[in-house]
């Protein structure tokens, strides 16, 4: 499975109450989302495994991979396509050994020091940010802005996706910084039409 980071959807069940998480993801993929990360800090492992399995079934045949945020056990049990971890989550070595060489593994990075310490040979991509402060994650590290994003991209041996408070108006600057894509939450989740929102973002990225 080729890795297309151009429009990376990070889910938020709390923002998807009107349409539901699965319908939101389905519409977003129809609109052009290229990769989906299931993120839910509140759900139990059992509930998240069930949700991941439903999403995996929904995404079958689309070419869009399902990534699990943080929880290695959920990724294993649901047979997801990969795992995204933060600086304090499961170690990359543990994740790679458990998921195998074909799995997609990403790591959140906020500083050049974190980037230099990352085991790049075991990873597929980085998540660089937050670019801006965002209410979607209350405990996030200091925003890096587009200058910080460009510095991380320039120093990175792997493609990096920009994340954190990004909207349509930021697409051009993110691409100009060298990011391989943009990760969004509220720009799709909770919107009246996730399909139209994703389509607009994907078009903006393609035209940037």
């Amino acid at each position: 499975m080729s890795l297309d980071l151009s429009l990376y959807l990070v889910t938020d069940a709390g923002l998807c109450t009107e349409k539901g998480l699965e319908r939101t993801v389905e519409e977003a993929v129809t609109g052009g989302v290229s990769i989906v990360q299931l993120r839910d800090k509140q759900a139990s492992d059992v509930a998240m495994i069930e949700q991941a399995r439903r999403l995996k079934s929904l995404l079958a045949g689309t070419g869009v991979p399902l990534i699990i945020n943080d929880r290695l056990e959920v990724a294993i049990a649901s047979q997801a396509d990969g795992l995204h971890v933060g600086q304090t989550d499961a170690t990359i070595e543990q994740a790679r050994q458990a998921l195998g060489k074909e799995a997609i593994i990403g790591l959140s990075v906020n500083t050049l020091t974190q980037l230099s310490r990352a085991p790049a040979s075991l990873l597929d991509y980085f998540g660089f940010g937050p670019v801006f402060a965002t209410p979607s994650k209350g405990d996030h590290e200091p925003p890096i802005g587009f200058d910080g994003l460009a510095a991380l991209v320039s120093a990175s041996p792997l493609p990096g996706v920009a994340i954190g408070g990004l909207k349509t108006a930021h697409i051009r600057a993110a691409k100009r910084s060298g990011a391989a894509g943009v990760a969004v939450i509220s720009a799709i989740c909770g919107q009246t039409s996730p399909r139209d929102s994703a389509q607009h973002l994907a078009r903006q990225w393609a035209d940037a």
Side-chain angles (χ1 to χ4, degrees):
M1 181 181 291
S2 61
L3 183 59
D4 179 357
L5 297 168
S6 58
L7 186 53
Y8 190 129
L9 173 62
V10 181
T11 67
D12 185 324
L15 293 176
C16 298
T17 53
E18 182 178 345
K19 289 181 175 287
L21 184 60
E22 289 161 55
R23 184 177 173 189
T24 296
V25 169
E26 184 176 26
E27 287 194 22
V29 169
T30 301
V33 159
S34 60
I35 184 168
V36 174
Q37 181 189 129
L38 176 60
R39 180 179 183 269
D40 192 331
K41 297 295 186 181
Q42 308 304 319
S44 67
D45 281 356
V46 171
M48 199 167 175
I49 289 167
E50 293 174 353
Q51 180 65 80
R53 287 173 173 166
R54 290 194 294 271
L55 289 180
K56 180 71 174 172
S57 177
L58 184 153
L59 294 171
T62 65
V64 175
L66 176 65
I67 308 298
I68 304 299
N69 179 270
D70 292 356
R71 304 196 208 182
L72 178 56
E73 294 79 8
V74 172
I76 295 169
S78 65
Q79 296 184 316
D81 298 297
L83 183 75
H84 185 91
V85 298
Q87 292 290 318
T88 60
D89 300 320
T91 69
I92 303 303
E93 290 81 4
Q94 288 175 328
R96 181 57 73 193
Q97 182 174 15
L99 296 174
K101 65 180 182 179
E102 299 301 321
I104 301 167
I105 300 180
L107 174 68
S108 294
V109 167
N110 179 255
T111 67
L112 289 170
T113 298
Q114 290 176 355
L115 180 63
S116 68
R117 293 174 178 171
S121 64
L122 300 177
L123 293 163
D124 296 283
Y125 73 94
F126 291 110
F128 292 141
V131 178
F132 302 114
T134 170
S136 299
K137 189 175 181 182
D139 59 344
H140 62 69
E141 296 191 73
I144 62 175
F146 287 118
D147 287 344
L149 174 62
L152 287 169
V153 168
S154 178
S156 177
L158 297 172
V161 59
I163 188 169
L166 296 171
K167 309 296 183 186
T168 303
H170 303 129
I171 298 294
R172 187 175 299 276
K175 195 169 187 178
R176 191 165 53 238
S177 298
V182 290
V184 298
I185 302 176
S186 61
I188 291 178
C189 290
Q191 297 298 311
T192 302
S193 174
R195 182 187 66 81
D196 289 349
S197 297
Q199 192 172 58
H200 184 59
L201 288 163
R203 187 181 301 117
Q204 290 294 313
W205 177 266
D207 293 342

